[in-house]
Coordinates of all heavy atoms in Angstrom, one line a residue:
M1 N -17.1 -4.4 15.6 CA -16.1 -5.3 15.4 C -14.8 -4.9 16.0 O -14.1 -5.7 16.7 CB -16.0 -5.5 13.9 CG -14.7 -6.2 13.5 SD -15.1 -8.0 13.3 CE -13.7 -8.5 12.4
A2 N -14.5 -3.6 15.8 CA -13.2 -3.0 16.4 C -13.2 -3.1 17.9 O -12.2 -3.3 18.5 CB -13.0 -1.6 15.8
A3 N -14.4 -2.9 18.5 CA -14.5 -2.9 19.9 C -14.2 -4.2 20.4 O -13.5 -4.4 21.5 CB -15.9 -2.4 20.3
K4 N -14.7 -5.3 19.7 CA -14.5 -6.6 20.2 C -13.0 -7.0 20.2 O -12.4 -7.6 21.0 CB -15.3 -7.6 19.4 CG -16.7 -7.6 19.7 CD -17.4 -8.6 18.8 CE -19.0 -8.5 19.1 NZ -19.8 -9.6 18.3
L5 N -12.3 -6.5 19.1 CA -10.9 -6.8 18.9 C -10.1 -6.1 20.0 O -9.1 -6.6 20.5 CB -10.4 -6.3 17.5 CG -11.0 -7.1 16.3 CD1 -10.6 -6.3 15.0 CD2 -10.3 -8.5 16.3
A6 N -10.5 -4.8 20.2 CA -9.8 -4.0 21.2 C -10.0 -4.7 22.7 O -9.0 -4.8 23.4 CB -10.3 -2.6 21.3
R7 N -11.2 -5.1 23.0 CA -11.5 -5.8 24.2 C -10.6 -7.0 24.3 O -10.0 -7.3 25.4 CB -12.9 -6.1 24.4 CG -13.3 -6.6 25.8 CD -14.8 -6.7 25.8 NE -15.6 -5.6 25.6 CZ -16.4 -5.4 24.6 NH1 -16.8 -6.4 23.9 NH2 -17.1 -4.2 24.5
A8 N -10.5 -7.8 23.3 CA -9.8 -9.1 23.3 C -8.3 -8.8 23.5 O -7.5 -9.4 24.3 CB -9.9 -9.9 22.1
A9 N -7.8 -7.8 22.8 CA -6.3 -7.4 22.9 C -6.2 -6.9 24.4 O -5.0 -7.2 24.9 CB -6.1 -6.3 21.9
M10 N -7.0 -6.1 25.0 CA -6.8 -5.6 26.3 C -6.7 -6.8 27.3 O -5.9 -6.8 28.2 CB -7.8 -4.6 26.8 CG -7.6 -3.2 26.1 SD -8.6 -2.0 26.7 CE -10.2 -2.3 25.8
T11 N -7.7 -7.8 27.1 CA -7.7 -8.9 28.0 C -6.4 -9.7 27.9 O -5.8 -10.1 28.9 CB -8.8 -9.9 27.5 OG1 -10.1 -9.0 27.8 CG2 -8.9 -11.0 28.5
A12 N -5.9 -9.8 26.6 CA -4.6 -10.6 26.5 C -3.5 -9.9 27.1 O -2.6 -10.5 27.8 CB -4.3 -10.7 25.0
V13 N -3.3 -8.6 27.0 CA -2.3 -7.9 27.8 C -2.4 -7.9 29.2 O -1.5 -8.1 29.9 CB -2.4 -6.3 27.1 CG1 -1.3 -5.4 28.1 CG2 -1.9 -6.3 25.7
R14 N -3.6 -7.8 29.6 CA -3.9 -7.8 31.1 C -3.6 -9.2 31.7 O -3.0 -9.3 32.9 CB -5.3 -7.6 31.4 CG -5.7 -7.1 32.8 CD -7.1 -6.8 33.0 NE -7.6 -5.6 32.2 CZ -8.7 -5.8 31.4 NH1 -9.4 -7.0 31.4 NH2 -9.1 -4.8 30.7
K15 N -3.6 -10.3 30.8 CA -3.3 -11.6 31.3 C -1.8 -11.9 31.1 O -1.4 -13.1 31.3 CB -4.1 -12.7 30.6 CG -5.6 -12.6 31.0 CD -6.3 -13.7 30.3 CE -7.8 -13.7 30.9 NZ -8.6 -14.9 30.2
G16 N -1.0 -10.9 30.7 CA 0.4 -11.2 30.7 C 1.0 -11.3 29.3 O 2.2 -11.7 29.2
A17 N 0.3 -11.0 28.2 CA 0.9 -11.1 26.9 C 1.9 -9.9 26.6 O 2.6 -10.2 25.7 CB -0.3 -10.9 25.8
G18 N 2.1 -9.0 27.4 CA 3.1 -7.9 27.2 C 2.6 -6.9 26.3 O 2.3 -5.8 26.7
Q19 N 2.4 -7.3 25.0 CA 2.0 -6.4 24.0 C 1.2 -7.3 23.0 O 1.5 -8.4 22.8 CB 3.0 -5.6 23.4 CG 4.0 -6.4 22.5 CD 5.1 -5.4 21.9 OE1 5.3 -4.3 22.5 NE2 5.7 -5.7 20.9
T20 N 0.4 -6.7 22.1 CA -0.3 -7.3 21.1 C -0.7 -6.3 20.1 O -0.6 -5.1 20.3 CB -1.6 -8.1 21.7 OG1 -2.1 -8.9 20.6 CG2 -2.7 -7.1 22.1
N21 N -1.2 -6.8 19.0 CA -1.6 -5.7 17.9 C -2.8 -6.4 17.2 O -3.0 -7.7 17.3 CB -0.5 -5.4 16.9 CG 0.0 -6.6 16.1 OD1 0.0 -7.7 16.5 ND2 0.3 -6.4 14.8
F22 N -3.5 -5.6 16.5 CA -4.7 -6.1 15.7 C -5.0 -4.9 14.7 O -4.6 -3.8 14.8 CB -5.9 -6.2 16.6 CG -6.4 -5.2 17.4 CD1 -7.5 -4.3 16.8 CD2 -6.0 -4.8 18.6 CE1 -8.0 -3.1 17.5 CE2 -6.4 -3.7 19.3 CZ -7.5 -2.9 18.7
E23 N -5.7 -5.3 13.6 CA -6.1 -4.4 12.6 C -7.6 -4.4 12.5 O -8.3 -5.4 12.9 CB -5.5 -4.9 11.2 CG -4.0 -4.8 11.2 CD -3.5 -5.3 9.9 OE1 -4.2 -5.4 8.9 OE2 -2.2 -5.4 9.8
F24 N -8.1 -3.2 12.1 CA -9.6 -3.1 11.8 C -9.9 -2.1 10.8 O -9.0 -1.3 10.4 CB -10.3 -2.7 13.1 CG -10.0 -1.4 13.6 CD1 -10.7 -0.3 13.3 CD2 -8.8 -1.1 14.4 CE1 -10.4 1.1 13.9 CE2 -8.6 0.1 14.9 CZ -9.4 1.2 14.6
D25 N -11.0 -2.2 10.2 CA -11.5 -1.3 9.1 C -12.6 -0.5 9.6 O -13.5 -0.9 10.2 CB -11.9 -2.1 7.9 CG -10.8 -3.0 7.3 OD1 -9.6 -2.6 7.5 OD2 -11.0 -4.0 6.7
I26 N -12.7 0.7 9.0 CA -13.8 1.5 9.2 C -14.3 2.0 7.9 O -13.6 2.5 7.1 CB -13.6 2.8 10.1 CG1 -13.1 2.4 11.5 CG2 -14.7 3.7 10.0 CD1 -12.8 3.5 12.4
G27 N -15.7 1.8 7.7 CA -16.2 2.1 6.3 C -16.2 1.0 5.4 O -15.7 -0.2 5.8
E28 N -16.8 1.2 4.2 CA -16.8 0.2 3.2 C -16.4 0.7 1.9 O -16.4 1.8 1.5 CB -18.3 -0.4 3.1 CG -18.7 -1.1 4.3 CD -20.1 -1.7 4.1 OE1 -20.6 -1.8 3.0 OE2 -20.7 -2.0 5.2
G29 N -16.0 -0.2 0.9 CA -15.6 0.0 -0.4 C -14.5 1.1 -0.5 O -13.4 1.0 0.3
D30 N -14.6 2.1 -1.3 CA -13.5 3.1 -1.6 C -13.4 4.0 -0.3 O -12.5 4.7 -0.2 CB -13.8 3.9 -2.8 CG -13.6 3.1 -4.1 OD1 -12.9 2.1 -4.0 OD2 -14.1 3.5 -5.1
A31 N -14.5 4.1 0.4 CA -14.5 4.9 1.7 C -13.8 4.3 2.9 O -13.8 4.9 3.9 CB -15.8 5.5 2.0
A32 N -13.4 3.1 2.7 CA -12.9 2.3 3.9 C -11.5 2.9 4.4 O -10.8 3.2 3.5 CB -12.8 0.9 3.5
H33 N -11.3 2.9 5.6 CA -10.1 3.3 6.2 C -9.5 2.0 7.1 O -10.3 1.4 7.6 CB -10.2 4.5 7.1 CG -10.4 5.7 6.4 ND1 -9.4 6.5 5.8 CD2 -11.5 6.3 5.9 CE1 -9.9 7.5 5.2 NE2 -11.2 7.4 5.1
H34 N -8.2 1.7 6.9 CA -7.7 0.6 7.5 C -6.7 1.1 8.6 O -5.8 1.9 8.3 CB -6.9 -0.3 6.5 CG -7.7 -0.6 5.3 ND1 -8.7 -1.5 5.3 CD2 -7.8 0.1 4.1 CE1 -9.3 -1.6 4.1 NE2 -8.7 -0.7 3.4
Y35 N -6.8 0.5 9.8 CA -6.1 0.8 10.9 C -5.3 -0.3 11.6 O -5.8 -1.4 11.6 CB -6.8 1.6 12.0 CG -7.4 2.9 11.5 CD1 -8.7 2.9 11.0 CD2 -6.6 4.1 11.5 CE1 -9.3 4.1 10.5 CE2 -7.2 5.2 11.0 CZ -8.6 5.2 10.6 OH -9.1 6.4 10.0
E36 N -4.2 -0.1 12.1 CA -3.4 -1.1 12.9 C -3.2 -0.5 14.3 O -2.8 0.7 14.4 CB -2.0 -1.4 12.2 CG -1.2 -2.3 13.0 CD 0.1 -2.6 12.2 OE1 0.7 -1.7 11.7 OE2 0.5 -3.8 12.2
V37 N -3.3 -1.3 15.4 CA -3.2 -0.9 16.7 C -2.2 -1.8 17.5 O -2.3 -3.0 17.4 CB -4.5 -0.9 17.5 CG1 -4.3 -0.5 18.9 CG2 -5.7 -0.1 16.8
Y38 N -1.2 -1.1 18.1 CA -0.3 -1.8 18.9 C -0.7 -1.5 20.4 O -0.9 -0.3 20.7 CB 1.2 -1.4 18.7 CG 1.7 -2.0 17.4 CD1 1.7 -1.3 16.2 CD2 2.3 -3.3 17.4 CE1 2.2 -1.8 15.0 CE2 2.8 -3.8 16.2 CZ 2.7 -3.1 15.1 OH 3.3 -3.6 13.9
L39 N -0.9 -2.5 21.2 CA -1.4 -2.3 22.5 C -0.5 -2.9 23.5 O 0.0 -4.0 23.3 CB -2.8 -2.8 22.7 CG -3.5 -2.5 24.0 CD1 -3.8 -1.0 24.1 CD2 -4.8 -3.4 24.1
A40 N 0.0 -2.2 24.6 CA 1.0 -2.6 25.6 C 0.5 -2.2 27.0 O -0.4 -1.2 27.0 CB 2.3 -2.2 25.3
S41 N 0.9 -2.8 27.9 CA 0.6 -2.4 29.3 C 1.4 -1.2 29.7 O 2.6 -1.1 29.5 CB 1.0 -3.6 30.3 OG 0.8 -3.1 31.7
G42 N 0.7 -0.2 30.4 CA 1.2 0.9 30.7 C 1.5 0.9 32.2 O 2.2 1.9 32.7
G43 N 1.3 -0.2 32.9 CA 1.5 -0.3 34.3 C 0.3 0.3 35.1 O -0.4 1.2 34.6
G44 N 0.0 -0.3 36.2 CA -1.1 0.3 37.1 C -2.4 0.1 36.4 O -3.3 0.9 36.7
G45 N -2.7 -0.9 35.6 CA -3.9 -1.2 35.0 C -4.2 -0.2 33.8 O -5.3 -0.3 33.3
E46 N -3.1 0.4 33.3 CA -3.4 1.3 32.2 C -2.8 0.7 30.9 O -2.0 -0.3 31.0 CB -2.8 2.7 32.5 CG -3.3 3.5 33.6 CD -2.6 4.7 33.9 OE1 -1.6 5.1 33.2 OE2 -3.1 5.5 34.7
F47 N -3.2 1.2 29.7 CA -2.7 0.7 28.5 C -2.1 1.8 27.7 O -2.4 3.0 27.7 CB -3.8 0.1 27.7 CG -4.5 -1.1 28.3 CD1 -5.6 -1.0 29.1 CD2 -4.0 -2.3 28.2 CE1 -6.2 -2.1 29.7 CE2 -4.5 -3.5 28.7 CZ -5.7 -3.3 29.5
V48 N -1.1 1.5 26.8 CA -0.5 2.4 25.9 C -0.8 1.9 24.5 O -0.7 0.7 24.2 CB 1.1 2.4 26.0 CG1 1.7 3.3 25.0 CG2 1.4 2.9 27.5
A49 N -1.4 2.8 23.7 CA -1.8 2.2 22.4 C -1.2 3.1 21.3 O -1.1 4.3 21.5 CB -3.4 2.3 22.3
Q50 N -0.8 2.6 20.2 CA -0.3 3.3 19.1 C -1.2 2.9 17.8 O -1.3 1.6 17.6 CB 1.1 2.9 18.8 CG 1.7 3.5 17.5 CD 3.0 3.0 17.1 OE1 3.5 2.1 17.7 NE2 3.8 3.7 16.3
V51 N -1.8 3.8 17.2 CA -2.7 3.5 16.1 C -2.1 4.1 14.9 O -1.7 5.3 14.8 CB -4.1 4.3 16.4 CG1 -5.1 3.9 15.2 CG2 -4.7 3.8 17.7
R52 N -2.0 3.3 13.8 CA -1.5 3.7 12.6 C -2.4 3.5 11.4 O -3.0 2.5 11.3 CB -0.2 2.9 12.3 CG 0.6 3.3 11.1 CD 2.0 2.7 11.1 NE 1.8 1.2 11.1 CZ 2.9 0.4 10.8 NH1 4.0 0.9 10.4 NH2 2.7 -0.9 10.8
D53 N -2.6 4.6 10.6 CA -3.5 4.5 9.5 C -2.8 3.7 8.3 O -1.8 4.2 7.8 CB -3.8 5.9 9.0 CG -4.9 6.0 7.9 OD1 -5.1 4.8 7.3 OD2 -5.4 7.1 7.7
L54 N -3.3 2.6 7.9 CA -2.8 1.8 6.8 C -3.5 1.9 5.5 O -3.3 1.2 4.5 CB -2.9 0.3 7.3 CG -2.1 -0.2 8.5 CD1 -2.3 -1.6 8.7 CD2 -0.6 0.2 8.3
T55 N -4.4 2.9 5.5 CA -5.3 3.1 4.3 C -4.4 3.2 3.0 O -4.7 2.5 2.0 CB -6.2 4.3 4.4 OG1 -7.0 4.1 5.6 CG2 -7.2 4.4 3.2
E56 N -3.5 4.2 2.9 CA -2.7 4.4 1.8 C -1.9 3.2 1.4 O -1.8 2.8 0.3 CB -1.8 5.6 1.9 CG -1.1 6.0 0.6 CD -0.3 7.3 0.9 OE1 -0.5 8.1 1.8 OE2 0.6 7.4 0.0
R57 N -1.4 2.6 2.4 CA -0.5 1.3 2.2 C -1.4 0.2 1.5 O -1.0 -0.4 0.5 CB 0.0 0.8 3.4 CG 0.8 -0.4 3.4 CD 1.4 -0.9 4.6 NE 2.0 -2.1 4.6 CZ 2.6 -2.7 5.6 NH1 2.6 -2.1 6.8 NH2 3.1 -3.9 5.5
R58 N -2.6 0.1 2.0 CA -3.5 -1.0 1.5 C -3.9 -0.7 0.1 O -4.0 -1.5 -0.8 CB -4.7 -1.1 2.3 CG -4.5 -1.8 3.6 CD -4.0 -3.2 3.5 NE -3.5 -3.7 4.7 CZ -4.3 -4.2 5.7 NH1 -5.5 -4.3 5.6 NH2 -3.6 -4.7 6.8
Q59 N -4.2 0.6 -0.2 CA -4.5 1.0 -1.6 C -3.3 0.8 -2.5 O -3.5 0.3 -3.7 CB -4.8 2.5 -1.6 CG -6.2 2.7 -0.9 CD -6.3 4.3 -0.8 OE1 -5.5 5.1 -0.9 NE2 -7.6 4.6 -0.5
M60 N -2.0 1.0 -2.1 CA -0.9 0.7 -3.0 C -0.7 -0.7 -3.2 O -0.3 -1.2 -4.3 CB 0.3 1.4 -2.3 CG 0.4 2.8 -2.3 SD 0.3 3.5 -4.0 CE -1.3 4.3 -3.9
E61 N -0.9 -1.5 -2.2 CA -0.8 -2.9 -2.3 C -1.8 -3.6 -3.4 O -1.5 -4.4 -4.2 CB -1.1 -3.6 -1.0 CG 0.2 -3.5 0.0 CD -0.1 -4.0 1.4 OE1 -1.3 -4.4 1.7 OE2 0.8 -4.1 2.2
E62 N -3.0 -3.0 -3.3 CA -3.9 -3.5 -4.3 C -3.7 -3.0 -5.6 O -3.7 -3.8 -6.6 CB -5.4 -2.8 -3.9 CG -6.5 -3.2 -4.8 CD -6.7 -4.7 -4.9 OE1 -6.6 -5.5 -3.9 OE2 -7.1 -5.3 -6.0
E63 N -3.1 -1.8 -5.8 CA -2.6 -1.4 -7.1 C -1.5 -2.2 -7.6 O -1.4 -2.6 -8.8 CB -2.2 0.2 -7.0 CG -1.6 0.7 -8.3 CD -2.7 1.0 -9.3 OE1 -3.8 0.8 -9.1 OE2 -2.2 1.3 -10.5
I64 N -0.6 -2.7 -6.8 CA 0.5 -3.5 -7.1 C 0.0 -4.9 -7.7 O 0.5 -5.4 -8.6 CB 1.6 -3.8 -6.0 CG1 2.4 -2.4 -5.9 CG2 2.5 -4.9 -6.3 CD1 3.1 -2.4 -4.6
R65 N -1.0 -5.4 -7.0 CA -1.5 -6.6 -7.2 C -2.3 -6.7 -8.7 O -2.2 -7.5 -9.5 CB -2.6 -7.1 -6.2 CG -2.1 -8.1 -5.2 CD -3.2 -8.7 -4.4 NE -3.9 -7.7 -3.6 CZ -3.5 -7.3 -2.4 NH1 -2.3 -7.6 -1.9 NH2 -4.2 -6.4 -1.7
R66 N -2.9 -5.5 -8.9 CA -3.7 -5.3 -10.1 C -2.7 -5.3 -11.2 O -2.9 -5.9 -12.3 CB -4.6 -4.0 -10.1 CG -5.6 -3.8 -11.1 CD -6.4 -2.6 -11.1 NE -5.6 -1.4 -11.0 CZ -5.0 -0.9 -12.1 NH1 -5.0 -1.4 -13.3 NH2 -4.4 0.2 -12.0
L67 N -1.7 -4.4 -11.1 CA -0.6 -4.3 -12.1 C 0.1 -5.6 -12.4 O 0.4 -5.9 -13.5 CB 0.3 -3.3 -11.7 CG -0.2 -1.8 -11.7 CD1 0.9 -0.8 -11.2 CD2 -0.6 -1.3 -13.2
A68 N 0.3 -6.4 -11.4 CA 0.9 -7.6 -11.6 C 0.0 -8.7 -12.3 O 0.7 -9.5 -13.0 CB 1.4 -8.3 -10.2
F69 N -1.2 -8.6 -12.2 CA -2.1 -9.7 -12.8 C -3.0 -9.3 -13.9 O -3.6 -10.0 -14.5 CB -2.9 -10.3 -11.7 CG -2.1 -11.1 -10.5 CD1 -1.9 -10.5 -9.3 CD2 -1.4 -12.1 -10.9 CE1 -1.2 -11.1 -8.4 CE2 -0.7 -12.9 -10.0 CZ -0.6 -12.4 -8.7
F70 N -3.0 -8.0 -14.2 CA -3.9 -7.5 -15.3 C -3.2 -6.5 -16.1 O -2.3 -5.7 -15.7 CB -5.1 -6.8 -14.7 CG -6.0 -7.7 -14.0 CD1 -5.8 -7.9 -12.6 CD2 -7.0 -8.4 -14.7 CE1 -6.7 -8.8 -11.9 CE2 -7.8 -9.3 -14.0 CZ -7.7 -9.5 -12.6
D71 N -3.4 -6.6 -17.5 CA -2.9 -5.7 -18.5 C -3.3 -4.2 -18.2 O -4.6 -4.0 -18.1 CB -3.2 -6.1 -19.8 CG -2.5 -5.2 -20.9 OD1 -1.4 -5.5 -21.1 OD2 -3.2 -4.3 -21.4
R72 N -2.4 -3.2 -18.3 CA -2.8 -1.9 -18.0 C -3.7 -1.3 -19.0 O -4.6 -0.6 -18.7 CB -1.6 -1.0 -18.0 CG -0.9 -0.8 -16.7 CD 0.2 0.2 -16.8 NE 0.4 0.9 -15.6 CZ 1.3 1.7 -15.3 NH1 2.2 2.1 -16.3 NH2 1.5 2.2 -14.1
V73 N -3.5 -1.6 -20.2 CA -4.2 -1.1 -21.4 C -5.7 -1.7 -21.5 O -6.7 -1.0 -21.7 CB -3.4 -1.1 -22.7 CG1 -4.3 -0.6 -23.9 CG2 -2.2 -0.4 -22.6
T74 N -5.7 -3.0 -21.6 CA -6.8 -3.8 -21.9 C -7.7 -4.2 -20.7 O -8.9 -4.4 -20.7 CB -6.6 -5.1 -22.7 OG1 -5.8 -6.0 -21.9 CG2 -5.8 -4.7 -24.0
G75 N -7.0 -4.2 -19.5 CA -7.6 -4.6 -18.4 C -7.7 -6.2 -18.2 O -8.4 -6.7 -17.3
L76 N -7.3 -6.9 -19.3 CA -7.4 -8.4 -19.3 C -6.3 -9.0 -18.4 O -5.3 -8.4 -18.2 CB -7.2 -8.9 -20.7 CG -8.3 -8.5 -21.8 CD1 -7.9 -8.8 -23.2 CD2 -9.6 -9.0 -21.3
P77 N -6.7 -10.2 -17.8 CA -5.7 -10.9 -17.0 C -4.5 -11.2 -17.7 O -4.5 -11.5 -19.0 CB -6.4 -12.2 -16.6 CG -7.9 -11.9 -16.9 CD -7.9 -10.9 -18.0
N78 N -3.2 -11.1 -17.1 CA -2.0 -11.5 -17.7 C -1.9 -13.1 -17.7 O -2.7 -13.7 -17.1 CB -0.8 -11.0 -16.9 CG -0.7 -9.5 -17.0 OD1 -1.1 -8.9 -18.0 ND2 -0.2 -8.9 -15.9
R79 N -1.0 -13.6 -18.5 CA -0.9 -15.1 -18.6 C -0.5 -15.6 -17.2 O 0.2 -15.1 -16.4 CB 0.2 -15.5 -19.4 CG -0.3 -15.3 -20.9 CD 0.6 -16.0 -21.9 NE 1.3 -15.1 -22.6 CZ 2.4 -15.3 -23.4 NH1 2.9 -16.5 -23.3 NH2 2.9 -14.4 -24.1

C-alpha cells in the first residue's frame, strides 16, 4: 500500500505538482505506526522526501476522542 502511494506521489511530482504529501501505516492494532511523507522534486530527476512519525500524535488524538465521548470512570458514553 505504501509503495503504491509513494509511486503515485512521485508520478505527480514528476508531472509538475511541485510537491505532494501522503500518509501510510505500518502494522496493525496497538503495534501500528503512522507516517506522513512530504515529497518534492530535487531537480535532475531526483526527489527530496521528508518522513515524519505520527504515531504518538495519532494515539493522543484517539485519547482525546475517547475522553470527549466516554466517562473516565465507568467507560459509558457521555450524553
Side-chain angles (χ1 to χ4, degrees):
M1 171 91 166
K4 288 181 182 180
L5 292 171
R7 190 175 301 119
M10 287 188 282
T11 300
V13 170
R14 202 176 302 125
K15 289 184 178 180
Q19 68 180 25
T20 188
N21 68 321
F22 62 95
E23 295 181 10
F24 66 95
D25 301 332
I26 296 178
E28 295 180 13
D30 292 339
H33 289 272
H34 310 281
Y35 297 95
E36 177 179 43
V37 178
Y38 286 95
L39 189 66
S41 175
E46 296 179 354
F47 296 97
V48 176
Q50 176 185 13
V51 180
R52 184 168 57 165
D53 187 347
L54 299 177
T55 304
E56 186 175 339
R57 178 179 174 180
R58 292 289 167 87
Q59 290 170 346
M60 292 297 113
E61 288 172 350
E62 181 58 35
E63 178 70 8
I64 290 169
R65 265 192 294 281
R66 191 179 61 74
L67 290 172
F69 296 109
F70 294 91
D71 182 80
R72 269 185 152 174
V73 177
T74 65
L76 296 172
N78 290 333
R79 288 195 245 165

